[in-house]
């Protein structure tokens, strides 16, 4: 996870549109040292499911607007997950939601 000073926790979920349910798969504090931490158990994301992230912020005592950005005075929301696929189970490449194949 990575955020700046206002975020105590970033949580990762898998959303299943068919069942209209979220399943938590990752949780970490951006205030911990930046590293990959082991998951409690291996998670499987099935075709059609969507990986999402939720950043929680606490701006108590902040008396100015907080913007998204890369400087220390801004905030950001990054969830990093390492993953693998079983050989032969997916295509040659992966794409993000709403991306479509098209001419280069």
């Amino acid at each position: 996870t990575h955020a700046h000073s206002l975020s105590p926790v970033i949580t990762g979920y898998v959303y299943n549109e068919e069942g209209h349910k979220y399943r938590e798969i990752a949780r970490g504090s951006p205030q911990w040292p930046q590293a990959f931490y082991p998951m409690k158990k291996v998670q499987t994301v099935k075709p059609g499911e969507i990986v999402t992230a939720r950043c929680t912020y606490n701006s108590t005592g902040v008396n100015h607007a907080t913007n998204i950005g890369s400087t220390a005075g801004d905030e950001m929301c990054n969830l990093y997950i390492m993953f693998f696929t079983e050989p032969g189970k997916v295509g040659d490449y992966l794409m993000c939601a709403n991306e479509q194949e098209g001419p280069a």
Side-chain angles (χ1 to χ4, degrees), residues 6 17 19 26 29-31 33 42 46 53 56 60 66 70-71 73 102:
L6 298 181
E17 287 184 298
S29 171
Q31 306 312 313
V42 173
K46 298 177 182 159
T56 303
T60 302
T66 302
S70 60
T71 70

Side-chain angles (χ1 to χ4, degrees), residues 25-102:
I25 61 167
R27 177 182 289 264
S29 171
Q31 306 312 313
W32 296 341
Q34 206 165 336
F36 283 102
Y37 292 93
M39 298 175 86
K40 292 179 182 173
K41 68 176 191 168
V42 173
Q43 298 286 334
T44 300
V45 179
K46 298 177 182 159
E49 291 185 323
I50 300 167
V51 177
T52 64
R54 175 183 178 188
C55 294
T56 303
Y57 296 98
N58 182 354
S59 61
T60 302
V62 175
N63 59 4
H64 57 82
T66 302
N67 298 305
I68 193 164
S70 60
T71 70
D74 299 323
E75 269 301 341
M76 57 175 51
C77 175
N78 296 336
L79 173 67
Y80 302 108
I81 298 177
M82 295 178 86
F83 71 95
F84 69 94
T85 60
E86 294 183 39
K89 298 258 179 156
V90 297
D92 292 338
Y93 64 93
L94 301 172
M95 67 176 64
C96 292
N98 298 326
E99 285 186 356
Q100 308 246 341
E101 288 186 54

